[in-house]
């Protein structure tokens, strides 16, 4: 799950303690007022734990403003009384602390806990939604736990919180209002378009949006319910809500039409043992990076109502529930500089240089900035304190500046006027800027990529040799490789008869590579190796692909309405290079693929044409994901060769586990994908088991001595 920082902040003496209390009070006030704070969640947690540790050693010095033992750190207020206290949760940070907490709860009860409920701790704003006779009448924030702020003006604007329930009952539903990652991007775009400063993270955006009144635009948020309790008008339902287990209450609320986590990959589960709880905690943690919303932990509760009543609650938190906090995936750090790099297709991409910061177990010094328009939209400046997000293996990204921390010394980010690579002109007409020379700007990189193992696989053509051929004027693109003459190569330094003949033989062999490899070598923007295989399988020939319009390309699995026209335009731009490859005798068909029926490349008659799949095979109809290090008969196969093997066997290869996944091939150190597959009930096979499934096709791959991971 990643390394969790459990060490409290050091508070050495009374003076340091007073400063820590003031810092925590200020941070909590900013956080609960608008969702933005001068410190990130991990720093705040460590600060509060340091304060608590000092107070434990010096109980007579505890200050009235101390955040310990208070809901929302004592910073939030409200004027609408809650029907029952709306408390926070205490935290644990390790499996050992979880076991100790569970044991202490069972000692308090004097009996084992019969059932545990385990669910995600959603990173949003806690809300109580009151329904009278099935109609939503009031929304109230948590506030100080006894009273909250009335935000009923937001009724009707929160997805998942229906204006009317499916039954005319009276009750109070409690849950979190948050922004999904997609809603956060849209909301920030709307905010900046209307002259506002971007929110630093999704939690702040949700809090600010929920409280906002009279905005000229509407940003969307989402509600996830995590409980319900009776109101004075609930009648007989009130008795049931007080007797039902927590899991049954959630099931009932879901049936009323209220959004809960029940339909997500991290749906609440009821488990019998602490060992099962810990296993589910690890599963949810493993799925975290792929969720459409943020979570900062997992909540564990005693499921039975009688256990909850017997355990009771303190002034700040119930004793029957705990939050297992996960490592922080968001931290605040400083933007030191912006580097402008040129990719092999000529795209000019900005990269943030950061003051090093530890996030999710690794030190982050660089992060994605997407494109120049994104920098302008987020109003990023050099010297800004910025919120940086990282989860799992995802490349870190800069979310937005923490505007309230600006000192006035921040400086504008200077965009390049000329290509940083070659000094040529930059095409700034698109969202992504690009050198007008395109692939020619990074010719060596472009050719080296094209001849790589997962593309044309031409042995003997490393970067050094490519540089030599380019400098000798023999290569202007990778199609020139197929017209090289023996005497041209022999005239070069360090090119003897043997190396020349071996290279020419490898180039000749590359002519027979399937269309999918040729497409990958072309490096069409918006595609990769997997997408190249899907496109090749769908169209079967280059001629059919080049004749396809955007609507026809869109029908390839994984290509949406935005990407399709870009691919069509890119293929048109590459037409001279493709023509040179055809003239040189390079194969332009995909062996075994069946072309779409006449009319399926475009036009309305093709609307219902199914995606073409390879016929038969041991994996026919299966969607297969490969993760971890392969062993045994598969040890020599690269990931690309594994995916090709899957598709030759009639299956569909995929890079991510979902409900559509049929099989996960899990090698050593499989990690989060295995956890997600097990959580979804997807079949998991080890390398030996999978090798047996495709044994007949595997023989060809084992016979390739050049195939290395």
């Amino acid at each position: 799950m990643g390394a969790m920082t459990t060490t409290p902040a050091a508070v050495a003496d009374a003076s340091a303690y007073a400063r820590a209390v003031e810092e925590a009070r200020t941070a909590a006030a900013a956080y609960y007022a608008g969702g933005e704070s001068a410190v990130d969640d991990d720093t705040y947690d460590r600060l509060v734990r340091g304060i608590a540790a000092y107070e434990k050693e010096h109980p007579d010095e505890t200050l009235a403003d101390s955040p310990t033992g208070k809901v929302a750190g004592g910073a939030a207020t409200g004027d609408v009384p809650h029907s029952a206290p709306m408390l926070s949760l205490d935290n644990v940070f390790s499996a050992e602390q979880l076991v100790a907490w569970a044991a202490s709860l069972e000692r308090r009860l004097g009996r084992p806990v019969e059932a545990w409920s385990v669910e995600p701790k959603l990173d949003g704003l806690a809300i109580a939604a009151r329904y009278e006779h099935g109609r939503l009448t009031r929304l109230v924030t948590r506030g100080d736990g006894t009273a909250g702020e009335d935000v009923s003006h937001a009724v009707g604007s929160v997805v998942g919180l229906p204006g009317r329930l499916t039954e005319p009952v009276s009750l109070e539903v409690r849950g979190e209002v948050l922004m999904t990652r997609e809603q956060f991007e849209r909301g920030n775009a709307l905010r900046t378009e209307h002259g506002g400063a971007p929110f630093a993270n999704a939690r702040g955006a949700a809090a600010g949006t929920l409280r906002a009144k009279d905005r000229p635009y509407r940003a969307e948020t989402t509600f996830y319910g995590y409980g319900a309790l009776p109101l004075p008008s609930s009648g007989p339902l009130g008795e049931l809500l007080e007797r039902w287990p927590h899991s049954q209450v959630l099931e009932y609320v879901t049936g009323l039409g209220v959004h809960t986590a029940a339909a997500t990959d991290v749906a609440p589960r009821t488990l019998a043992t602490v060992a099962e709880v810990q296993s589910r905690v690890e599963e949810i943690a493993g799925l975290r990076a792929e969720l459409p919303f943020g979570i900062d932990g997992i909540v564990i509760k005693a499921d039975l109502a009688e256990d909850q009543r017997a355990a009771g609650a303190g002034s700040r938190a119930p004793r029957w529930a705990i939050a297992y906090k996960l490592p922080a995936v968001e931290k605040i750090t400083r933007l030191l500089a912006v580097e402008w790099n040129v990719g092999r297709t000529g795209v000019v991409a900005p990269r943030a240089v950061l003051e090093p910061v530890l996030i999710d177990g690794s030190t982050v010094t660089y992060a994605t900035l997407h494109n120049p328009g994104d920098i302008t939209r987020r109003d990023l400046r050099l010297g800004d304190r910025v919120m940086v997000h990282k989860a799992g293996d995802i490349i870190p990204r800069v979310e937005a500046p923490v505007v309230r921390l600006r000192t006035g010394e921040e400086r504008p980010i200077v965009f390049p006027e000329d290509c940083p690579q070659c000094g040529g002109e930059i095409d700034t007409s698109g969202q992504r800027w690009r050198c007008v020379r395109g692939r020619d700007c990074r010719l060596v990189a472009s050719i080296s990529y094209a001849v790589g193992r997962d593309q044309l696989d031409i042995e003997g053509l490393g970067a050094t040799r490519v540089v030599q051929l380019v400098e000798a004027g023999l290569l202007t693109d990778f199609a020139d490789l197929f017209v090289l003459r023996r005497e041209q190569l022999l005239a070069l330094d360090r090119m003897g008869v043997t190396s020349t003949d071996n290279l020419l033989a490898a180039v000749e062999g590359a002519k027979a590579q399937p269309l999918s490899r040729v497409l990958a070598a072309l490096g069409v923007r918006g595609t990769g190796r997997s997408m190249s295989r899907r496109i090749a399988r769908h169209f079967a020939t280059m001629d059919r692909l080049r004749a396809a319009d955007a609507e026809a390309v869109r029908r390839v699995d994984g290509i949406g309405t935005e990407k399709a026209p870009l691919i069509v335009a890119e293929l048109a731009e590459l037409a001279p290079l493709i023509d040179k490859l055809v003239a040189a005798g390079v194969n332009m068909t995909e062996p075994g693929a069946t072309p779409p029926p006449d009319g399926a490349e475009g036009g309305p008659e093709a609307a219902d044409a199914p995606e073409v799949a390879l016929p038969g095979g041991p994996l026919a109809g299966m969607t297969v994901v490969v993760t971890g290090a392969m062993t045994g008969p598969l040890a020599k196969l690269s990931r690309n060769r594994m995916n090709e093997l899957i598709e030759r066997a009639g299956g569909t290869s995929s890079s991510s586990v979902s409900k559509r996944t049929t099989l996960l091939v899990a090698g050593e150190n499989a990690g989060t994908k295995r956890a997600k597959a097990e959580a979804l009930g997807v079949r998991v096979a080890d390398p030996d088991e999978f090798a047996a499934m495709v044994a007949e096709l595997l023989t060809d791959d084992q016979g390739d001595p050049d195939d290395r991971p």
Side-chain angles (χ1 to χ4, degrees), residues 183-193 198-199 378 399-400:
Q183 287 173 337
F184 175 55
E185 291 297 327
R186 288 204 307 264
N188 251 354
L190 278 170
R191 184 174 169 84
T192 54
E193 284 172 10
F199 283 111
R378 297 176 194 271
E399 294 281 29

Side-chain angles (χ1 to χ4, degrees), residues 632-637 691 695 697-705 707-708:
L634 307 178
K636 293 183 178 181
L637 298 187
L697 292 167
L698 184 60
T699 304
D700 295 336
D701 286 288
Q702 285 181 302
D704 183 355
D707 195 18
R708 298 289 185 269

